[in-house]
Amino acid sequence: MSSRELSCFLCREMLYEFAIHALDERRASSVKKHVSTCRDCLQILQDHERATKHLEELASSKISLKAVQDLKEKHRLISHNVGWRRLPESLRWGLEALVAALVVAASFHFGSQWWANRKVQKADDVVLAEVETLPGEAGQSQNFPEDTLAEADIEADEESGGAPEVTEPTQHSDEVGNESVAGPGLHHAGTDVVETENVQVAEAPPQPEYVVPQTPLVLALNPPTSPQPVAVKPSPSPAQQVPTPATMVMNSAPPPSPAAQEGGFVYRMAMSVKGIDAVTPKVIEKIMELGGQKAGQVQLGWKKPGGSYFHFTMPEAGFTPLMTHLRSFAQVRHSKDPHKRVMPAGTIRIILWVEELEPPKPSVQPITEPDVQQGEVMPPETEVPNATEEAPQTTEENE
Amino acid sequence: MSDTQIKSVALFFFFAFFDEQRAIELTSKTLKLVRKQARDSEIDTNALIVRIAQKIFAKEASRRELPPPPQDLNVFQIPEAISLGHLHALRKRITIEEFGCLLWTKVFALPEATVALGFDTTIGTVRHRTSNALKSLGQQLPHEGPPA
């Protein structure tokens, strides 16, 4: 069987394979026969051989050992770095899950701490007074914080709430006094029944900074709640009653415990003046002059919708000068109420409400007893024993 | 990877870019990628080297212009009988695929099947590209004498 003559195109297509001996015998013989007769195709074949020879010589090129070593060192470092992938897949997944769980747990832990701290900082924590408990009596004063919180609620309402309520006087058959008692917080004055025999007043210096307590008492004020007026029952012992004309006795509250009788007091005052904007700075100045310092959070003379609010502590000796000063503006209605918060010896706490004097409404007439005598101004040194014996009492001053 | 493979990759990039420093850098990069992909790929290491090196070659070739062949060599040693000028001219004349097939099959003597696997093409394509490159190179080389 004679082979067909190859064209130059077909021959050149097979020249490379002919050069590398990749053609079968029949095609190889055809290419060989064509190349022997075609100078162009032969030239191309020779170019192939020459180039192949040139490349074989080029293959003998070398690279310095140092460069190879450097590349291998880099390669080893890379292998070391990616050694993680050589671990079993289950182990890798386990470690990754562990890391993820730790991250989540840490986030939750720190997040909850942050949230708790944020809530604590937002709460109205006020340290009004710090008392020192005797070491042996720590267990007996366990009910103190609850009472303190209750009082804290009341004062928080006074200081952060709206305008203080001026209540109408409570009428009762035993009521005495010819003028109603009005003032901030007076409606619940004397309603606290506390046991304070477990709490002793620390031996504190005259300044308001108190003795560093063994168990510092921090009052966490809850959101203000509306105080519930509670009537007060008179003292059970008639012998202890002092016939004070301006004493209002109410019968609905439980009798104060001995602890309350031995507890502290708070002076509540109220007065209506003309030109409150001018009076308030003078009152502040006088309080400061007498050594008074603000108690609670608000400053002295805190402006409220109906007047100015003063909550402060001062030396007991300054009470009379303060009353004298206040009377120069207007009549002062005041009461000395028992309070579970015990102030250091020689220091008293006063809540004063000064409001703008408004013309009295003819329709509202206070009901007075015909034989009620006018109230007396009771200096603190004389009120303490009375109030101690008759805890729920309210003193009216009428000048 | 063996020293031969490292040497082949380094020479490949040197012949491709005629720059020793660049050849070393690209060799390191290629070895890193080959080491990384060798675990997840079942392909032959030589074919993987061809594939990665050719990808880097194509990518880097489009970034920079080809410099002239260096006069002094520090890292690589080229036989004195060989002139890099012919290869440099060939690099400009033919495609990078043809140039790659020529180097891998003729200089580094890799099997055509491996090169075809590395290029993800057929052996016929590799032969065709190599043939064209050889033909171009042969036309540049000086004739040693009258054809037989």
Side-chain angles (χ1 to χ4, degrees):
Chain A
M1 183 176 173
S2 61
S3 60
R4 193 176 60 179
E5 186 73 20
L6 284 176
S7 65
C8 287
F9 176 79
L10 288 176
C11 180
R12 289 170 188 174
E13 286 296 315
M14 293 187 288
L15 272 181
Y16 175 70
E17 291 175 329
F18 175 77
I20 62 174
H21 309 289
L23 288 177
D24 57 84
E25 290 184 4
R26 182 181 167 194
R27 290 180 177 176
S29 61
S30 297
V31 171
K32 189 174 182 180
K33 183 178 178 181
H34 179 82
V35 167
S36 61
T37 58
C38 179
R39 293 179 59 88
D40 293 338
C41 292
L42 179 62
Q43 183 66 40
I44 293 172
L45 180 61
Q46 290 175 343
D47 289 343
H48 278 199
E49 292 173 351
R50 199 163 46 247
T52 302
K53 185 180 177 183
H54 180 83
L55 292 176
E56 287 175 353
E57 291 178 356
L58 192 64
S60 61
S61 302
K62 295 179 181 177
I63 182 175
S64 66
L65 293 176
K66 184 177 180 301
V68 174
Q69 290 300 322
D70 290 345
L71 288 171
K72 288 179 73 174
E73 286 299 320
K74 287 183 181 178
H75 177 247
R76 285 174 185 168
L77 289 175
I78 293 169
S79 301
H80 182 72
N81 290 335
V82 296
W84 164 259
R85 293 181 176 273
R86 292 181 177 178
L87 297 175
E89 190 172 0
S90 58
L91 182 59
R92 280 190 286 162
W93 274 102
L95 291 174
E96 290 173 357
L98 179 63
V99 170
L102 288 175
V103 169
V104 171
S107 302
F108 180 77
H109 176 70
F110 291 112
S112 60
Q113 277 191 346
W114 172 80
W115 184 253
N117 292 336
R118 184 170 169 268
K119 281 189 173 179
V120 168
Q121 289 174 358
K122 285 181 68 176
D124 296 328
D125 292 350
V126 180
V127 180
L128 288 179
E130 294 178 344
V131 296
E132 182 180 29
T133 58
L134 293 179
E137 298 175 343
Q140 300 175 359
S141 59
Q142 292 177 353
N143 59 345
F144 187 77
E146 295 179 2
D147 299 336
T148 308
L149 287 175
E151 175 65 18
D153 291 343
I154 295 171
E155 295 199 357
D157 183 60
E158 289 178 350
E159 295 188 358
S160 63
E165 298 179 9
V166 179
T167 60
E168 294 297 329
T170 304
Q171 301 301 326
H172 193 271
S173 60
D174 294 336
E175 287 178 1
V176 292
N178 58 354
E179 183 174 337
S180 63
V181 177
L186 291 181
H187 56 278
H188 56 271
T191 61
D192 300 319
V193 179
V194 294
E195 295 179 4
T196 55
E197 72 276 13
N198 299 330
V199 181
Q200 288 191 354
V201 177
E203 292 297 331
Q207 56 266 32
E209 286 77 17
Y210 306 118
V211 174
V212 177
Q214 293 178 351
T215 56
L217 178 60
V218 178
L219 306 182
L221 299 186
N222 295 329
T225 57
S226 60
Q228 299 297 327
V230 178
V232 180
K233 194 174 182 179
S235 169
S237 171
Q240 295 175 345
Q241 292 184 0
V242 177
T244 304
T247 301
M248 297 175 60
V249 181
M250 293 170 280
N251 298 325
S252 60
S257 65
Q261 296 176 4
E262 296 177 2
F265 298 91
V266 59
Y267 291 86
R268 299 181 188 273
M269 303 178 180
M271 55 187 298
S272 301
V273 299
K274 286 183 178 180
I276 189 172
D277 294 335
V279 172
T280 299
K282 295 177 181 177
V283 174
I284 295 173
E285 184 181 358
K286 188 64 177 178
I287 292 171
M288 301 297 288
E289 177 187 335
L290 295 173
Q293 293 187 356
K294 77 177 183 72
Q297 287 186 325
V298 301
Q299 72 279 8
L300 291 174
W302 181 37
K303 282 290 184 184
K304 298 180 80 171
S308 300
Y309 177 81
F310 300 77
H311 182 192
F312 57 98
T313 60
M314 65 181 299
E316 191 172 4
F319 181 83
T320 303
L322 176 64
M323 289 298 294
T324 305
H325 182 75
L326 293 178
R327 284 185 202 123
S328 64
F329 301 112
Q331 66 178 21
V332 180
R333 305 179 297 276
H334 75 97
S335 65
K336 182 178 181 180
D337 302 327
H339 195 279
K340 54 185 166 296
R341 185 167 300 127
V342 180
M343 299 302 293
T347 302
I348 58 176
R349 189 161 64 94
I350 300 174
I351 296 176
L352 170 62
W353 170 248
V354 181
E355 60 184 0
E356 185 71 31
L357 180 62
E358 296 179 356
K361 297 178 182 179
S363 60
V364 179
Q365 291 295 336
I367 302 173
T368 58
E369 294 291 335
D371 56 345
V372 169
Q373 301 175 4
Q374 282 190 337
E376 296 178 356
V377 176
M378 301 184 66
E381 55 270 15
T382 61
E383 287 184 353
V384 171
N386 293 340
T388 306
E389 296 166 357
E390 300 178 1
Q393 71 174 2
T394 303
T395 302
E396 292 186 356
E397 178 177 351
N398 207 354
E399 288 189 359
Chain B
M1 294 179 66
S2 64
D3 289 354
T4 304
Q5 290 171 323
I6 295 174
K7 173 191 168 187
S8 299
V9 175
L11 282 173
F12 172 80
F13 283 113
F14 176 69
F15 294 145
F17 296 105
F18 299 96
D19 186 336
E20 288 184 321
Q21 184 63 30
R22 196 176 180 189
I24 295 298
E25 292 174 0
L26 295 178
T27 301
S28 176
K29 183 178 179 180
T30 302
L31 296 180
K32 179 181 177 180
L33 291 175
V34 168
R35 186 71 179 85
K36 184 177 180 180
Q37 295 184 14
R39 300 184 196 89
D40 304 328
S41 177
E42 297 179 355
I43 192 174
D44 179 56
T45 304
N46 288 330
L48 190 59
I49 289 173
V50 170
R51 177 174 297 178
I52 294 173
Q54 193 65 30
K55 279 187 178 178
I56 293 175
F57 177 28
K59 186 176 178 180
E60 294 292 324
S62 61
R63 289 184 176 180
R64 299 183 190 179
E65 202 169 320
L66 188 64
Q71 300 297 323
D72 298 326
L73 297 176
N74 299 320
V75 179
F76 298 96
Q77 296 177 357
I78 306 299
E80 294 180 356
I82 299 298
S83 172
L84 288 177
H86 299 298
L87 198 64
H88 187 267
L90 179 69
R91 163 74 172 78
K92 287 185 173 180
R93 284 182 61 182
I94 62 177
T95 64
I96 57 175
E97 287 82 9
E98 291 174 343
F99 191 79
C101 286
L102 180 70
L103 290 181
W104 290 117
T105 55
K106 294 301 177 183
V107 178
F108 307 120
L110 288 182
E112 290 176 336
T114 302
V115 177
L117 186 61
F119 277 82
D120 198 16
T121 184
T122 62
I123 294 177
T125 302
V126 172
R127 286 180 179 175
H128 180 73
R129 290 172 179 173
T130 306
S131 173
N132 288 341
L134 278 177
K135 180 181 173 183
S136 296
L137 179 62
Q139 291 173 351
Q140 295 175 21
L141 294 174
H143 294 274
E144 296 176 348

